[in-house]
């Protein structure tokens, strides 16, 4: 094999190592659920920061809630009580109304949503009384908290939350566990079990081709494949010179 062909192989390998792949990830959660908070704060948030180009992340705040219509009203019963129904509506309204900051290009809609949801989930668990919607909005320069709050206290918030309920029920009715993580809008028991234990590993399992960030997972197939290919190229190069 010529040096030229060897270099071509190396180039193709390097390009494949840094190829961008993306997968839809839906997070079905509850605003006052301790398990949801632990998952979002300690697993999802750091992984979403690291793999921001590899995930189409969608938050679906409803969980094990139920709803019924009474005339023009929609009445909800939530897993952790009436306060959670309000909190779920704040999440639903924020997901609808948050916009990117045109004066700060790095503060895209997706970035602000991730930061805001992470903040709400972390601070709501303090149980200090007042829901931290305004506090988190101020912290991340989300300037339309008044709009979000009005939405949460109106039929708009009820309508948005009902839509998330329909989306949750479409995946699984009733939802068996909270949080539930679905890759490619599909529930898979093995993916669920792995994701709640090690979201980063579950994400890497569902990314094809696997991005370079996945390749330092101990014993991962991509890491072993990379090592094997590098070794093979080294042997070929040694014999060619």
């Amino acid at each position: 094999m010529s040096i030229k062909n060897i270099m071509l192989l190396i180039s193709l390998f390097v390009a494949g190592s840094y190829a961008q792949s993306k997968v839809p990830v839906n997070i079905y959660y509850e605003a006052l659920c301790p398990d949801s908070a632990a998952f979002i704060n300690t697993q999802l948030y750091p992984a979403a920061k690291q793999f921001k180009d590899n995930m189409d992340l969608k938050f679906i705040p409803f969980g094990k809630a139920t709803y019924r219509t009474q005339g023009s009203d929609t009445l909800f019963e939530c897993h952790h009580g009436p306060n959670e129904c309000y909190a779920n509506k704040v999440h639903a309204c924020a997901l609808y109304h948050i916009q990117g900051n045109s004066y700060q290009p790095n503060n895209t809609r997706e970035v602000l949503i991730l930061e805001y949801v992470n903040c709400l989930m972390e601070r709501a668990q303090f149980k200090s009384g007042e829901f931290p919607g305004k506090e988190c909005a101020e912290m991340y320069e989300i300037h339309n908290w008044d709009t979000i709050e009005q939405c949460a206290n109106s039929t708009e918030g009820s309508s948005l939350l009902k839509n998330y309920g329909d989306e949750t029920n479409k995946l699984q009715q009733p939802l068996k566990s909270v949080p539930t993580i679905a890759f490619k809008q599909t529930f898979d028991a093995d993916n669920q079990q792995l994701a709640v234990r090690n979201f980063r590993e579950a994400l890497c399992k569902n990314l094809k081709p696997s991005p370079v960030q996945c390749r330092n997972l101990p014993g991962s197939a991509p890491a072993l494949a990379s090592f094997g290919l590098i070794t093979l190229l080294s042997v070929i190069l040694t014999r060619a010179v």
Side-chain angles (χ1 to χ4, degrees):
M1 181 179 292
S2 69
I3 296 294
K4 181 179 178 181
N5 287 338
I6 292 171
M7 295 308 295
L8 178 61
L9 279 175
I10 293 173
S11 298
L12 290 172
F13 169 70
V14 171
S17 297
Y18 287 89
Q20 291 296 335
S21 53
K22 184 173 281 194
V23 64
V25 181
N26 289 4
I27 309 298
Y28 300 82
Y29 70 106
E30 296 165 345
L32 298 185
C33 169
D35 289 340
S36 294
F39 171 75
I40 289 172
N41 295 153
T42 64
Q43 292 209 61
L44 178 67
Y45 178 74
K49 301 277 279 188
Q50 182 182 12
F51 291 88
K52 60 184 177 65
D53 296 323
N54 303 106
M55 299 168 56
D56 280 327
L57 182 60
K58 183 173 185 179
F59 290 103
I60 301 170
F62 192 80
K64 294 183 177 182
T66 60
Y67 74 83
R68 60 187 174 87
T69 56
Q70 184 173 298
S72 60
D73 295 329
T74 304
L75 306 178
F76 298 90
E77 290 188 14
C78 297
H79 192 195
H80 297 90
N83 286 342
E84 184 169 75
C85 291
Y86 171 73
N88 282 343
K89 289 179 184 180
V90 171
H91 280 252
C93 291
L95 293 170
Y96 183 77
H97 284 289
I98 285 177
Q99 298 298 326
N101 190 329
S102 59
Y103 296 101
Q104 295 177 306
N106 291 331
N107 281 349
T108 63
R109 169 176 160 80
E110 291 75 19
V111 166
L112 290 177
I113 284 176
L114 176 64
E115 297 291 353
Y116 190 63
V117 169
N118 184 64
C119 180
L120 290 181
M121 296 303 291
E122 181 179 42
R123 292 175 182 271
Q125 297 309 308
F126 292 169
K127 305 187 188 304
S128 58
E130 186 176 355
F131 189 72
K134 182 178 181 180
E135 178 186 359
C136 289
E138 290 175 348
M139 186 177 299
Y140 291 101
E141 299 184 19
I142 295 168
H143 301 300
N144 59 341
W145 163 246
D146 288 345
T147 301
I148 295 169
E149 184 179 34
Q150 289 168 12
C151 168
N153 287 304
S154 71
T155 55
E156 181 186 17
S158 296
S159 176
L160 291 171
L161 186 58
K162 177 180 177 293
N163 290 341
Y164 283 127
D166 292 339
E167 194 164 352
T168 300
N169 292 335
K170 187 183 298 183
L171 179 81
Q172 195 178 65
Q173 187 178 9
L175 202 65
K176 292 181 180 178
S177 62
V178 181
T180 288
I181 299 94
F183 295 92
K184 304 173 187 175
Q185 295 93 33
T186 303
F187 177 79
D188 179 271
D190 291 335
N191 270 334
Q192 168 71 9
Q193 187 175 18
L194 178 58
V196 296
R197 186 178 73 249
N198 188 330
F199 177 73
R200 185 170 180 266
E201 186 176 342
L203 175 63
C204 287
K205 178 183 173 184
N206 283 276
L207 286 171
K208 305 296 180 189
S210 180
V212 70
Q213 299 99 306
C214 293
R215 305 199 177 201
N216 61 350
L217 287 174
S220 65
L224 294 174
S226 299
F227 178 77
L229 185 52
I230 290 171
T231 302
L232 177 61
L233 289 173
S234 299
V235 169
I236 293 174
L237 186 58
T238 301
R239 290 180 178 179
V241 295

